[in-house]
Amino acid sequence: MELPLIKKYADLIKRFSFLDGLSDAQKEKYLADLLHAEYMDLTVDYAFKYVFGKHPELLKMLLGDFLRLDIESIHYHPEELVSTYVQDRHVIMDVTCTLADGRQVVIEMQKKMPDDLKNRLFYYGSALIYNQLKRGEDKYDLLPVYVLIFLDGNLIHDNPADKRLIYRYSMREQESGETYGDQLHIICCELPNLSKSSDEKMNSIEEWFYYFQNMKNFTTLAGGPKILNERFRGLLDASRTRRFTDKEWENYLKAMFTQREIDNYTAPAYRKGIEEGIAQGIEQGIVQGAAKEKENIARAMLAKGFDADTIADLTGLDAEEIKALTA
């Protein structure tokens, strides 16, 4: 990577505090490593949206494999599809679309695991169902809605030993298992649960999991990425960073830096350190710096869609203080 390009984004990294303990040379190396990466990290929402928002053939392939449907065509919708409801909670969906037969789908990639994630997924689907109803109509002819989410983590399940790749939820009668209807389907895909290596035989679902897990590491693999199936050549090509414009590089780096910062902020060791640091600051009469740090944490979390209750729990800021940061 040419030095001018590294210098071009050097100021960008200064806006994020997670590398404050590194020297300028170390920061530059961290930035250079990202700029040298041949493929995007698809577990970061910007990269996921970039690939599947620009390539309907890949989205069609993805949905066909995970929804078990014969996908004829896909019509994209802007994020505003359910904005009346979702934006009130600082939620930005990655991809929303309607299939040829009218069924609607929300697809997301999530690295964070907020406590209310299950409720949030139900909220997405409910909003899409509500949007099908037209004012004044007395018929409720509802088409199925699918919420498909890929998690770089694990939900809390009744049986922790049950480590499946996909959890499919729908409404059923408790004793007989009879379905209430097919209006709402929530499909949760837990990426860490794939334990196979590239040398083992995989089905199409496992192949998707493998690429989502490992795309960011392909640059450092000896001999480059292994093509598990010719179907995925298009995914690899669409995920190459050489496609980026300068502005797209900037957006991708911001997403990577923000995610890294949030990972640090929400780590138990960091939270303990913040609490100890604030306590020490109070004792020494220098709480101003600690307060500023809490505001920086809250801003980064707002940018990634954390809800106000979670931000308040992690930072100690009250609702009014958090609201003021969005003004």
Side-chain angles (χ1 to χ4, degrees):
M1 183 66 61
E2 295 182 0
L3 186 60
L5 190 56
I6 296 174
K7 294 294 186 184
K8 183 173 186 175
Y9 298 108
D11 287 340
L12 179 64
I13 205 170
K14 294 177 182 177
R15 304 180 199 172
F16 296 84
S17 63
F18 69 94
L19 293 176
D20 283 350
L22 300 183
S23 66
D24 288 343
Q26 289 172 320
K27 289 181 182 180
E28 189 172 283
K29 183 182 183 305
Y30 177 80
L31 179 58
D33 288 343
L34 288 177
L35 292 170
H36 273 100
E38 186 177 354
Y39 298 94
M40 289 177 263
D41 181 353
L42 291 180
T43 64
V44 174
D45 54 4
Y46 176 82
F48 186 87
K49 188 171 187 175
Y50 179 92
V51 170
F52 293 100
K54 289 177 176 285
H55 297 277
E57 74 283 359
L58 293 176
L59 182 58
K60 181 178 177 181
M61 186 172 114
L62 178 79
L63 295 182
D65 287 344
F66 282 87
L67 299 187
R68 302 170 179 171
L69 300 173
D70 183 15
I71 310 297
E72 295 180 16
S73 63
I74 293 171
H75 174 66
Y76 287 103
H77 294 287
E79 294 168 358
E80 290 76 11
L81 180 64
V82 291
S83 62
T84 304
Y85 318 100
V86 175
Q87 280 186 355
D88 291 340
R89 302 191 61 185
H90 306 288
V91 174
I92 300 175
M93 292 168 293
D94 287 341
V95 181
T96 61
C97 59
T98 299
L99 307 182
D101 59 4
R103 288 181 278 191
Q104 294 180 312
V105 188
V106 172
I107 311 100
E108 278 213 22
M109 174 66 72
Q110 287 271 3
K111 288 185 75 73
K112 62 182 183 293
M113 298 293 292
D115 294 337
D116 66 347
L117 181 59
K118 285 186 176 180
N119 289 340
R120 187 175 301 205
L121 299 180
F122 192 84
Y123 185 65
Y124 288 172
S126 300
L128 289 175
I129 290 173
Y130 182 88
N131 276 5
Q132 295 183 47
L133 302 177
K134 296 180 181 178
R135 188 180 298 275
E137 286 191 354
D138 58 0
K139 290 185 178 181
Y140 289 80
D141 297 326
L142 301 176
L143 292 169
V145 163
Y146 300 84
V147 179
L148 174 61
I149 183 165
F150 296 92
L151 300 172
D152 193 17
N154 298 99
L155 292 172
I156 298 175
H157 300 286
D158 292 340
N159 180 9
D162 181 14
K163 293 290 186 182
R164 283 179 282 147
L165 299 185
I166 303 179
Y167 298 82
R168 300 178 185 272
Y169 300 96
S170 60
M171 294 181 64
R172 294 181 180 274
E173 204 282 324
Q174 291 184 10
E175 293 186 11
S176 68
E178 175 189 348
T179 59
Y180 188 82
D182 66 348
Q183 293 89 348
L184 178 59
H185 303 263
I186 299 176
I187 304 103
C188 297
C189 307
E190 299 188 2
L191 300 182
N193 291 352
L194 178 68
S195 58
K196 289 186 176 180
S197 69
S198 60
D199 295 327
E200 299 178 81
K201 184 176 178 58
M202 300 187 199
N203 59 34
S204 60
I205 296 295
E206 292 168 333
E207 288 170 343
W208 279 109
F209 271 60
Y210 171 78
Y211 284 110
F212 287 145
Q213 278 186 350
N214 295 289
M215 188 76 75
K216 60 187 174 185
N217 300 320
F218 283 164
T219 301
T220 59
L221 290 180
K226 180 176 181 179
I227 303 296
L228 301 177
N229 189 313
E230 287 297 320
R231 299 172 71 224
F232 289 92
R233 283 196 179 273
L235 176 67
L236 285 169
D237 186 57
S239 303
R240 291 181 184 273
T241 56
R242 61 175 169 76
R243 289 175 169 269
F244 280 165
T245 63
D246 287 347
K247 184 60 177 177
E248 287 168 342
W249 260 121
E250 181 178 341
N251 290 336
Y252 177 62
L253 291 173
K254 283 180 180 178
M256 293 291 286
F257 297 159
T258 301
Q259 186 59 56
R260 175 71 178 272
E261 196 150 85
I262 289 174
D263 288 344
N264 286 356
Y265 292 156
T266 56
Y270 184 88
R271 292 176 63 177
K272 182 179 180 182
I274 286 292
E275 292 169 0
E276 292 176 351
I278 292 174
Q280 183 180 6
I282 293 173
E283 183 177 343
Q284 296 175 358
I286 51 171
V287 297
Q288 184 175 0
K292 186 65 176 178
E293 181 67 11
K294 288 197 292 182
E295 290 179 2
N296 290 339
I297 293 171
R299 286 192 179 93
M301 295 180 73
L302 284 169
K304 292 299 294 179
F306 279 73
D307 60 81
D309 289 341
T310 301
I311 296 172
D313 178 56
L314 291 172
T315 65
L317 296 177
D318 61 34
E320 289 301 317
E321 289 172 316
I322 295 170
K323 184 178 181 181
L325 297 178
T326 65

